[in-house]
Amino acid sequence: MKHLLSTEDLSLSNAIRILDTAEEMAAVGDREVKKLPALRGRTVVNLFFEDSTRTRISFEAAAKRLSADVINFAAKGSSVSKGESLKDTAQTLAAMGADAVVIRHWASGAPHRLAATDWIDAAVINAGDGTHEHPTQALLDAFTMRRHWSKLAGSASIGADLKGMRVAIAGDVLHSRVARSNVWLLRTLGAEVTLVAPPTLLPIGVEHWPCKVSYNMDDTLAHGVDAVMMLRVQGERMNASFFPSTREYSRRWGFDDNRLRALDSLGLKDTIIMHPGPMNRGLEISSAAADSPRSTVLAQVRNGVSVRMATLYLLLSGETREPAATPGTAASNAAHSTKESN
Amino acid sequence: MAENNGTYLIRGASILGAGAEDLLISNGVIAARGAAAAAHKDAHGATVIEAAGLVALPGMVDVHTHLREPGREDAETVETGTRAAALGGFTAVHAMANSNPVADTAGVVEQVHSLGRAAGWVDVRPVGAVTVGLAGEQLAELGAMADSRAQVRMFSDDGLCVHDPVLMRRALEYVKAFDGVVAQHAQEPRLTAGAQMNEGAVSAVLGLTGWPAVAEESIIARDVLLAQHVNSRLHVCHVSTAGSVEIIRWAKERGINVTAEVTPHHLLLTDDLVRSYNPVYKVNPPLRTDADVQALRAGLADGTIDVVGTDHAPHPSEHKECEWAQAAMGMTGLETALSVVQHTMIETGLMTWADFSRVTSTAAAQIGRVTDQGRPLDAGEPANIILVDPAARWTVDPAKMATMGRNSPFAGLELPGQVVATFYKGHPTVLDGKLNTPYRESAAAAAGAS
Amino acid sequence: MTSVTNAPVPARVVLNQADIDRALTRIAHEILEANKGSKDLVLLGIPRRGYPLAVRLAHKIAAADPTVDANAIVGQLDVTMFRDDLSHQPTRPPYPTQLPRTGIDNKVVVLIDDVLYSGRTIRAALDAIIDFGRPRIVRLAVLIDRGHRELPIRADHVGKNLPTSSTEKVRVRLEETDTAADGSVVNEVVIEGGA
């Protein structure tokens, strides 16, 4: 694994490896010294073509906990005519010796371009590209779900997948990179995904996705669900006729107080409510739902740092950046090489 | 090569893929064909071209080329674009109107026309804009362009759709006055706002704004009905969907005077390539699905689609070395068209070389009303001829092309067929697969006078 | 030790199960003796094979001193993130670090590893320990010391000193972490290769 560009092509073993490593990274937060020297001397550039303070500080905290040097590069020029081109920016970062580029871009595929061209040789981490993918968000969501799912099963989360877990992802799937990354990763981890959205906010071609599609939130809840992930909906979508009004949207597709109560009456006592943030309280999620004990919103933020530490560590620490083997064999190989080289 | 009065004896070429015959070219025309060629009085002293194993075809006529001049000489010039055309086996190209300034006046089309004549590689036929500045609001002076020295017969806002139905109706009506044709870029603008690629399974995964087939098909459906209503002539540029083929087939069955074109890239490439996010695959209309590719091939083979048009669209590298959404739309195509059509249509058994000459030359010349091109290879006809080695195979390398554009989607692909020689008005612009010299009217006149 | 042939020799067993057990028993008693009892003792095994050795030692100490709860004094210390060769090796996923509930502040920490070689793993372990707290004393116990030190580090307790060539490989196989090719239980130390 040299880059993390999408979850669509992330293998099960690599996904588990990132999640397992993130578990170890999470433990660092409980230590007296919340910092590891693993990436000392490495330079991580946060290249943000689109504002996202949350994602940027999460990556920044992750890199710093691993002792990497962090450079924040807010490149807001959005067109070739106005600003510097992606190519020039990439070559500039290469000249500065960046070992990893964490890129957030409004254009789908921009991280793929960085990784596929010879503009820069650094590891590329997709921190959200257009309406394409946001793989670290999906990984932190899966991490959060896996902890919950393993706890219910009474087993350790290390090495576990999400087989049998029923996840509903609700909202503006069409414009959501979070939804896409989650659909692919959750499929890989064995969860059963249902997308719930107005038909206008589902992409043409969704019928080929490895998930079910529903237009009805209440039916989806009634069928039983272990996690409900609410996607952020932009009120402006109303102006492009994706839905008639925010009121109708929130009534039909939002997670409101009635639906929160419905979880109890349906006997779904362990169902969690997730949201990638930032939330539109009162639109796609009610305050009562967001603040309920079912809500994992803050845990997701916390887990984001662990998952991003794991990603940076796994992409940057190795010399060969070889495709990862299964955790088991990787572990025993590492143990042997310890004795041979040391 | 000694001075030879412009006389060439082509020996043993397979005419349109049929039996081997000789052709004698003299004074810009085919002086004789078959056994009569070697016996002809002009054959003595003619330069002999051994053409055993080569196919002789009428010079290709492109109904859809972007030469970029005037205005974007950093992308292509008439000189470089027509060199590429000659190497690709063309003897005429229709230069699209979206230059800067737009070719919407007699002055601009005459400028392009004269640049073409000065270059001397192929016949450059300017296409006039339908509307002033391609703005889609007001008819350009179509009559003035038709009457100009450029004798424009094809009008198009290509790159943009004449989406206003009233304006389209008027344009179709108006061009009847001088036997013109409106070449429509069928793209409903509201359905394609911000569109980046074909809307379907791949766009859903890639998160790129979809470009639905219906945006093309709805305009074609409207336009064929308009053409029927006003009894005029419609040409549909770069048909890209299976549905479009169906609509055009339906229109032709009803006797509507519509012709259609398909690009080589839409005959071969699919939207799966966009998974790379490499903007070399970004084009308007977008690459579609394999089902569309198959329908386009079938449509071209059965005559529903009349011609192959390259939509040769060179861009400077900085317009492709960027994010997908930032990148310019378009692909080069002049130097790969013959090979791609041979690969997709002839090697698949869908067409013969005679069919090839129809879709790349005869029908194209008729659409553009280019009277001295797309003619049979018979005695007395203008000598616009190409010799093709169908057995050759080559690997596409954009860096070696004559076009300034490096944006070939076929880079690295091994393709069949090589243009060995191109004769334009009896003069070899290409010999041995390499550029020779351009056609010079004065020289030809001198040769004719001697 | 210098007369190893180039022929493909089978691995030579240098310690068998009984040897390992005797060595660990001796080390357990040495630890108690050096510490003048079991007070404040913490055993931290370094993954992978240092940890099962630490567990075995803890049980032996508990056997010798009934006041000791073996499970309460043993822990695992992962040093992966502290290694100085991270950029020269394939990526290693980290192992969990689990300290005894008592923590390590003011404790006598005995680091346990299977083989002491260059000393770099122990260097990393010393850095890792400091991030968790401040032990009163840190000692080192290893099953095998094969020489070839690259850092000024020495073990306080050694199961067996094993002079080796640097081309040889020392493999420790423990039933907790390894299985033999035939699936049977193994507890042995072997030397492979060499020239």
Side-chain angles (χ1 to χ4, degrees):
Chain A
M1 211 170 56
K2 160 144 188 174
H3 309 291
L4 180 64
L5 303 177
S6 73
T7 58
E8 194 200 1
D9 53 6
L10 189 66
S11 68
L12 176 62
S13 62
N14 276 335
I16 298 276
R17 192 162 132 108
I18 293 170
L19 297 179
D20 286 354
T21 304
E23 286 287 355
E24 307 310 334
M25 297 299 180
V28 176
D30 305 330
R31 293 186 189 182
E32 195 154 302
V33 179
K34 295 179 180 53
K35 200 168 171 114
L36 294 165
L39 298 184
R40 212 168 38 178
R42 299 303 189 100
T43 301
V44 175
V45 177
N46 286 323
L47 177 59
F48 276 54
F49 287 84
E50 184 182 78
D51 285 332
S52 174
T53 309
R54 291 164 159 260
T55 305
R56 184 181 55 72
I57 62 176
S58 181
F59 269 107
E60 188 169 348
K64 284 181 169 168
R65 282 196 182 171
L66 292 169
S67 306
D69 294 318
V70 180
I71 298 172
N72 289 315
F73 191 133
K76 290 199 58 191
S78 62
S79 77
V80 175
S81 55
K82 269 191 261 170
E84 196 178 42
S85 74
L86 180 62
K87 177 180 176 179
D88 288 335
T89 304
Q91 288 179 334
T92 302
L93 299 180
M96 287 177 183
D99 295 297
V101 177
V102 174
I103 177 173
R104 161 68 69 105
H105 204 295
W106 51 267
S108 299
H112 283 71
R113 290 294 283 159
L114 274 194
T117 57
D118 58 3
W119 303 337
I120 187 168
D121 186 36
V124 178
I125 299 173
N126 182 358
D129 62 328
T131 54
H132 175 227
E133 287 225 29
H134 193 353
T136 58
Q137 176 72 43
L139 283 160
L140 76 88
D141 291 337
F143 183 89
T144 307
M145 286 184 239
R146 190 173 78 157
R147 279 195 161 179
H148 175 70
W149 198 234
S150 312
K151 202 169 126 197
L152 287 182
S155 57
S157 54
I158 293 281
D161 56 23
L162 295 176
K163 266 197 192 65
M165 190 170 187
R166 299 163 299 178
V167 182
I169 302 176
D172 184 357
V173 175
L174 178 63
H175 300 97
S176 176
R177 50 192 170 215
V178 175
R180 284 177 178 77
S181 284
N182 263 295
V183 165
W184 313 130
L185 182 60
L186 290 172
R187 163 211 49 194
T188 301
L189 292 170
E192 297 162 15
V193 178
T194 304
L195 299 175
V196 189
T200 47
L201 290 175
L202 287 163
I204 296 288
V206 74
E207 64 274 16
H208 300 293
W209 290 11
C211 58
K212 284 185 267 187
V213 173
S214 165
Y215 304 140
N216 191 310
M217 186 64 148
D218 296 314
D219 283 357
T220 305
L221 296 183
H223 272 95
V225 62
D226 301 302
V228 182
M229 184 185 300
M230 301 307 298
L231 301 172
R232 180 181 167 79
V233 168
Q234 294 177 340
E236 313 81 271
R237 301 283 180 219
M238 184 178 84
N239 302 328
S241 299
F242 285 103
F243 48 84
S245 69
T246 51
R247 211 157 44 89
E248 172 155 327
Y249 181 89
S250 102
R251 201 165 51 232
R252 291 185 73 100
W253 322 102
F255 205 93
D256 58 11
D257 296 357
N258 289 332
R259 294 193 169 106
L260 183 61
R261 280 192 293 274
L263 289 185
D264 294 329
S265 56
L266 288 163
L268 296 168
K269 66 179 173 59
D270 295 317
T271 298
I272 53 174
I273 301 169
M274 310 179 72
H275 195 297
M279 294 183 281
N280 290 308
R281 287 173 185 256
L283 180 46
E284 75 267 5
I285 189 167
S286 71
S287 271
D291 300 332
S292 82
R294 295 176 183 274
S295 167
T296 61
V297 172
L298 292 177
Q300 287 169 268
V301 174
R302 208 160 34 239
N303 295 339
V305 177
S306 306
V307 160
R308 288 169 179 133
M309 286 173 77
T311 304
L312 286 168
Y313 171 72
L314 291 172
L315 290 182
L316 280 182
S317 70
E319 159 209 39
T320 52
R321 291 178 186 158
E322 57 183 2
T326 59
T329 54
S332 60
N333 287 343
H336 276 298
S337 62
T338 303
K339 295 312 163 202
E340 282 149 27
S341 61
N342 240 4
Chain B
M1 181 176 75
E3 287 302 322
N4 58 58
N5 313 327
T7 307
Y8 296 87
L9 179 60
I10 299 168
R11 287 165 65 126
S14 162
I15 312 288
L16 270 52
E21 293 185 63
D22 295 351
L23 289 172
L24 183 70
I25 298 172
S26 180
N27 293 322
V29 298
I30 300 172
R33 171 175 170 173
H40 193 277
K41 64 177 169 60
D42 289 351
H44 181 70
T47 303
V48 174
I49 296 174
E50 294 296 344
L54 305 185
V55 177
L57 300 163
M60 292 159 69
V61 176
D62 192 8
V63 292
H64 196 144
T65 312
H66 295 275
L67 293 178
R68 301 296 188 215
E69 193 175 359
R72 286 313 301 260
E73 291 83 357
D74 59 329
E76 190 85 290
T77 63
V78 171
E79 173 72 25
T80 58
T82 54
R83 282 173 178 242
L87 282 165
F90 292 91
T91 51
V93 298
H94 288 77
M96 276 299 170
N98 62 341
S99 51
N100 185 13
V102 170
D104 57 2
T105 61
V108 177
V109 294
E110 286 191 352
Q111 183 199 352
V112 173
H113 183 64
S114 66
L115 285 169
R117 285 173 70 138
W121 297 105
V122 299
D123 186 4
V124 174
R125 309 284 302 205
V127 176
V130 176
T131 65
V132 175
L134 309 176
E137 289 165 3
Q138 183 189 347
L139 279 189
E141 291 191 348
L142 309 183
M145 291 188 273
D147 293 344
S148 74
R149 282 198 305 279
Q151 302 225 340
V152 175
R153 287 297 174 270
M154 183 185 280
F155 299 89
S156 181
D157 277 2
D158 180 64
L160 296 166
C161 180
V162 184
H163 61 91
D164 179 335
V166 176
L167 200 56
M168 185 62 184
R169 171 196 169 143
R170 299 287 180 242
L172 285 167
E173 286 177 307
Y174 197 77
V175 298
K176 292 202 296 184
F178 33 83
D179 192 24
V181 63
V182 178
Q184 176 69 296
H185 173 118
Q187 178 189 356
E188 210 295 311
R190 290 275 293 145
L191 282 172
T192 51
Q196 297 292 326
M197 68 170 296
N198 179 50
E199 182 165 34
V202 181
S203 67
V205 171
L206 297 184
L208 289 171
T209 307
W211 191 313
V214 63
E216 173 174 314
E217 293 155 5
S218 60
I219 292 290
I220 295 175
R222 180 200 76 180
D223 286 355
V224 295
L225 294 172
L226 283 174
Q228 178 183 40
H229 182 61
V230 304
N231 192 25
S232 184
R233 194 155 70 94
L234 170 71
H235 176 69
V236 184
C237 297
H238 42 51
V239 168
S240 72
T241 76
S244 298
V245 176
E246 280 307 303
I247 293 165
I248 292 162
R249 188 174 285 133
W250 172 87
K252 286 190 165 185
E253 281 164 6
R254 286 175 64 117
I256 297 171
N257 196 352
V258 57
T259 55
E261 118 208 349
V262 63
T263 71
H265 46 269
H266 286 112
L267 288 172
L268 181 60
L269 309 178
T270 68
D271 64 353
D272 256 330
L273 293 163
V274 183
R275 290 180 185 275
S276 67
Y277 288 104
N278 185 343
V280 78
Y281 301 115
K282 184 172 177 181
V283 67
N284 177 353
L287 299 179
R288 306 286 189 182
T289 67
D290 188 56
D292 294 305
V293 166
Q294 299 308 326
L296 292 168
R297 290 182 185 184
L300 183 62
D302 71 17
T304 303
I305 296 172
D306 302 82
V307 294
V308 171
T310 64
D311 197 3
H312 174 79
H315 287 291
S317 61
E318 61 267 27
H319 289 190
K320 288 289 190 182
E321 286 188 325
C322 54
E323 302 87 331
W324 179 276
Q326 295 276 33
M329 291 182 274
M331 303 170 164
T332 62
L334 287 170
E335 288 159 89
T336 45
L338 179 137
S339 294
V340 172
V341 177
Q342 182 185 345
H343 175 60
T344 56
M345 301 303 296
I346 296 181
E347 291 194 336
T348 52
L350 291 166
M351 285 191 353
T352 64
W353 283 108
D355 297 326
F356 179 96
S357 74
R358 169 172 53 80
V359 302
T360 61
S361 182
T362 315
Q366 282 164 2
I367 290 168
R369 299 295 191 252
V370 188
T371 51
D372 58 346
Q373 300 241 12
R375 304 292 305 164
L377 299 186
D378 287 335
E381 295 287 352
N384 296 307
I385 303 169
I386 58 172
L387 298 176
V388 174
D389 178 0
R393 295 196 75 83
W394 61 293
T395 302
V396 179
D397 179 0
K400 291 182 178 162
M401 290 184 178
T403 174
M404 287 164 68
R406 296 290 170 263
N407 49 309
S408 171
F410 308 112
L413 225 65
E414 197 194 85
L415 292 172
Q418 196 203 355
V419 177
V420 176
T422 304
F423 288 88
Y424 169 49
K425 296 190 179 184
H427 174 80
T429 53
V430 173
L431 272 181
D432 296 327
K434 296 181 186 68
L435 272 181
N436 184 34
T437 54
Y439 167 80
R440 292 288 172 233
E441 283 171 48
S442 54
S450 67
Chain C
M1 281 297 150
T2 53
S3 62
V4 180
T5 66
N6 279 327
V9 286
R12 287 179 297 125
V13 176
V14 290
L15 293 183
N16 61 24
Q17 179 160 356
D19 297 333
I20 292 172
D21 194 55
R22 268 195 303 278
L24 290 178
T25 305
R26 178 169 53 75
I27 291 173
H29 284 96
E30 281 180 19
I31 288 172
L32 282 171
E33 194 172 320
N35 195 47
K36 299 185 169 60
S38 61
K39 188 168 185 303
D40 292 336
L41 264 186
V42 166
L43 308 187
L44 291 183
I46 298 173
R48 290 176 75 216
R49 293 175 188 78
Y51 178 67
L53 291 176
V55 172
R56 293 191 196 186
L57 281 170
H59 281 100
K60 288 187 184 294
I61 287 169
D65 181 347
T67 66
V68 172
D69 173 1
N71 294 323
I73 64 163
V74 73
Q76 171 164 285
L77 179 72
D78 183 53
V79 306
T80 308
M81 311 295 279
F82 297 84
R83 305 195 70 94
D84 60 8
D85 61 353
L86 280 175
S87 52
H88 308 293
Q89 295 282 328
T91 305
R92 304 156 189 255
Y95 290 90
T97 289
Q98 284 150 347
L99 301 185
R101 273 198 314 281
T102 56
I104 57 168
D105 283 347
N106 293 315
K107 299 288 183 186
V108 177
V109 170
V110 184
L111 290 171
I112 318 281
D113 205 0
D114 54 350
V115 179
L116 179 59
Y117 187 16
S118 69
R120 289 178 189 270
T121 301
I122 303 307
R123 200 276 316 153
L126 292 171
D127 275 1
I129 281 181
I130 288 165
D131 281 1
F132 287 100
R134 186 177 183 283
R136 186 153 51 86
I137 297 173
V138 179
R139 293 205 171 95
L140 173 61
V142 296
L143 182 61
I144 301 291
D145 180 349
R146 62 170 294 193
H148 304 284
R149 211 78 73 243
E150 294 167 6
L151 294 172
I153 281 171
R154 77 174 167 75
D156 300 279
H157 313 290
V158 176
K160 185 174 176 63
N161 281 297
L162 196 61
T164 55
S165 149
S166 55
T167 59
E168 290 171 319
K169 290 172 183 170
V170 175
R171 296 211 188 275
V172 175
R173 297 191 180 118
L174 304 176
E175 60 179 275
E176 295 93 331
T177 50
D178 306 274
T179 47
D182 61 3
S184 62
V185 170
V186 285
N187 282 290
E188 62 184 13
V189 178
V190 301
I191 291 183
E192 290 175 354

